[in-house]
């Protein structure tokens, strides 16, 4: 599933305006979400402080990018992942996260290009073939998606194989 805690909608109204009986909108859940959201905001501030102290550490940009994504600010997330990659082109995690953001935005062209770039650096990483397959499937390039899923399965018969088999099955039906 592409869902993560970052995709949980935050309550727009105060706790008093919530419906009773709906566990998804319960006061307890809203308090947890508000608390979690506050932690994300604090994480962004903390990573910003870390970056000011050590501006050449790609890890801090990568982690702040994740926090921006959880805050649903995809533009700032992508900027941080881009900068992390500029600082360290071997930062596989920045490529991975940037791919998730592009796919989450249904920007399949950019997701595929991100994976193309990553595959140049990490040609034996099944993840990027799987992700590029997802992007190509989103672009209705089913034959190319199947090729990518096949390569992901070949490179990682036990790791990403289940995801790749599922993606390939979807591509066969498309």
């Amino acid at each position: 599933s592409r869902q993560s805690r970052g995709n949980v909608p935050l309550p727009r109204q105060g706790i008093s305006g919530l419906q009773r009986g709906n566990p998804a909108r319960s006061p307890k859940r809203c308090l947890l979400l508000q608390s979690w959201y506050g932690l994300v905001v604090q994480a962004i501030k903390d990573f910003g402080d870390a970056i000011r102290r050590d501006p050449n550490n790609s890890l801090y940009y990568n982690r702040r990018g994740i926090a921006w994504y959880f805050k649903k600010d995809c533009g700032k997330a992508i900027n941080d992942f881009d900068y992390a990659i500029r600082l360290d082109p071997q930062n596989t995690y920045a490529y991975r996260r940037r791919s998730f953001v592009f796919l989450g935005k249904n920007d399949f062209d950019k997701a595929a290009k991100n994976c193309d770039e990553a595959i140049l650096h990490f040609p034996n990483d099944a993840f990027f073939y799987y992700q590029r397959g997802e992007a190509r499937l989103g672009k209705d390039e089913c034959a190319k998606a199947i090729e990518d899923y096949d390569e992901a399965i070949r490179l990682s018969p036990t790791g990403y194989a289940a995801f790749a088999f599922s993606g390939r099955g979807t591509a066969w039906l498309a």
Side-chain angles (χ1 to χ4, degrees):
S1 169
R2 290 190 185 140
Q3 285 191 330
S4 70
R5 290 192 304 180
N7 292 331
V8 176
L10 296 172
R12 295 187 189 274
Q13 55 196 144
I15 292 172
S16 62
L18 298 174
Q19 301 170 357
R20 290 180 176 245
N22 182 347
R25 298 183 63 91
S26 71
K28 183 177 180 181
R29 179 177 169 94
C30 286
L31 285 174
L32 289 173
L33 287 174
Q34 289 169 349
S35 174
W36 182 81
Y37 185 80
L39 294 174
V40 170
V41 170
Q42 185 59 50
I44 291 168
K45 290 176 184 175
D46 288 346
F47 290 126
D49 288 342
I51 288 167
R52 279 186 286 287
R53 287 174 172 77
D54 186 3
N56 294 317
N57 189 327
S58 68
L59 175 68
Y60 301 146
Y61 290 94
N62 188 57
R63 289 184 176 170
R64 188 174 68 178
I66 293 167
W68 281 122
Y69 179 68
F70 284 162
K71 194 171 182 258
K72 298 186 179 192
D73 193 329
C74 294
K76 288 182 180 177
I78 290 168
N79 288 341
D80 274 351
F81 296 136
D82 288 346
Y83 201 77
I85 291 167
R86 273 195 297 272
L87 287 173
D88 179 9
Q90 297 302 312
N91 184 336
T92 182
Y93 297 108
Y95 286 104
R96 288 172 188 261
R97 302 298 182 212
R98 189 169 67 178
S99 181
F100 280 125
V101 174
F102 287 138
L103 285 173
K105 292 176 56 177
N106 292 330
D107 194 338
F108 302 119
D109 288 326
K110 287 184 180 176
K113 287 177 185 172
N114 177 72
C115 291
D116 291 341
E117 184 180 341
I119 288 168
L120 291 174
H121 294 283
F122 314 102
N124 296 317
D125 192 329
F127 174 85
F128 295 113
Y129 291 95
Y130 166 71
Q131 287 288 80
R132 189 171 67 183
E134 292 288 282
R136 287 178 166 173
L137 188 59
K139 293 169 43 171
D140 290 326
E141 296 175 352
C142 297
K144 289 181 179 180
I146 289 169
E147 290 173 12
D148 282 335
Y149 293 135
D150 286 344
E151 185 63 9
I153 292 165
R154 186 189 72 73
L155 289 170
S156 181
T158 57
Y160 288 100
F163 295 116
F165 277 119
S166 175
R168 190 171 70 180
T170 302
W172 285 120
L173 297 175

